[in-house]
Amino acid sequence: DAGVIQSPRHEVTEMGQEVTLRCKPISGHNSLFWYRQTMMRGLELLIYFNNNVPIDDSGMPEDRFSAKMPNASFSTLKIQPSEPRDSAVYFCASSPDRNQPQHFGDGTRLSIL
Amino acid sequence: KNQVEQSPQSLIILEGKNCTLQCNYTVSPFSNLRWYKQDTGRGPVSLTIMTFSENTKSNGRYTATLDADTKQSSLHITASQLSDSASYICVVNRGSTLGRLYFGRGTQLTVWP
């Protein structure tokens, strides 16, 4: 079985540019999570979807961040405009439901110059 | 305030030795506690998930314990291997319909030959 697939694996862009991160969850998983990981703050939950509906977006840092899940097999996390402090590794994870172990993708390493 | 504290921050042990990682939490109400292993450059991988009624759970050489009264958990690694070198993250799920996940900063374990 394919795991959670994230793209791109690496992204380097200049500040002010729009950045779109993509995630394909494991088929059949109803819950999808976006995380950000930095050395300073560790792993932080940004947003959680259940059955394609955003349930908890209290971790989204500010209005520059937005996430969508148009269908059960695809989600995006968008940053517009990007800033250097957004540099981090962004993980997507999915699980059959919120109380089951999550399966993480290998992340997108984002660098904003 | 809901928090998860892990100790030690980093640990170096020799191959074949045992070690124990600690996790203390103040998250309430409690739903479950998870331990994840994160290899460098990869996403976290679930090791165990424990609910309120579970005191011990094993996954191969990994054994997690939970004391819900003192709000403490430990992860014991037996007969360590070089491949155990990773960051180990403790995550506590707050119990409610919209329960949130609270993350520790992780313990960085290095196993030397």
Side-chain angles (χ1 to χ4, degrees), chain A residues 56-68:
Chain A
D56 181 1
D57 65 354
S58 58
M60 296 286 264
E62 47 196 278
D63 291 345
R64 297 185 297 107
F65 286 69
S66 63
K68 294 182 180 180

Side-chain angles (χ1 to χ4, degrees), chain B residues 42-97:
Chain B
R42 305 298 300 275
V45 173
S46 178
L47 294 176
T48 66
I49 181 168
M50 302 176 71
T51 59
F52 185 89
S53 59
E54 295 176 298
N55 300 120
T56 303
K57 182 168 279 190
S58 292
N59 179 358
R61 294 180 297 102
Y62 301 99
T63 299
T65 64
L66 173 65
D67 186 335
D69 292 331
T70 61
K71 297 188 177 181
Q72 296 179 324
S73 176
S74 65
L75 181 69
H76 186 74
I77 303 175
T78 304
S80 61
Q81 300 177 358
L82 299 180
S83 59
D84 293 331
S85 295
S87 178
Y88 292 83
I89 302 170
C90 175
V91 184
V92 179
N93 188 354
R94 181 162 63 92
S96 71
T97 302

Side-chain angles (χ1 to χ4, degrees), chain A:
Chain A
D1 278 343
V4 175
I5 300 172
Q6 292 187 245
S7 64
R9 285 299 310 276
H10 303 273
E11 175 91 10
V12 180
T13 191
E14 294 183 342
M15 65 177 294
Q17 297 298 308
E18 178 179 291
V19 173
T20 299
L21 310 181
R22 297 172 176 79
C23 174
K24 176 178 170 55
I26 292 173
S27 178
H29 284 192
N30 296 324
S31 297
L32 183 138
F33 308 80
W34 281 102
Y35 294 90
R36 178 172 67 178
Q37 187 175 40
T38 61
M39 289 292 292
M40 292 295 294
R41 300 173 67 89
L43 201 60
E44 302 173 281
L45 177 66
L46 300 177
I47 187 169
Y48 152 57
F49 291 86
N50 190 54
N51 292 324
N52 313 339
V53 177
I55 301 299
D56 181 1
D57 65 354
S58 58
M60 296 286 264
E62 47 196 278
D63 291 345
R64 297 185 297 107
F65 286 69
S66 63
K68 294 182 180 180
M69 192 166 185
N71 57 63
S73 59
F74 184 66
S75 177
T76 60
L77 178 67
K78 187 173 294 186
I79 308 172
Q80 167 63 22
S82 58
E83 297 182 3
R85 60 194 170 112
D86 301 331
S87 298
V89 181
Y90 290 81
F91 288 103
C92 176
S94 70
S95 64
D97 64 62
R98 183 179 179 87
N99 291 318
Q100 296 297 314
Q102 296 173 22
H103 299 258
F104 283 76
D106 282 336
T108 294
R109 184 172 295 276
L110 177 64
S111 297
I112 307 298
L113 306 177

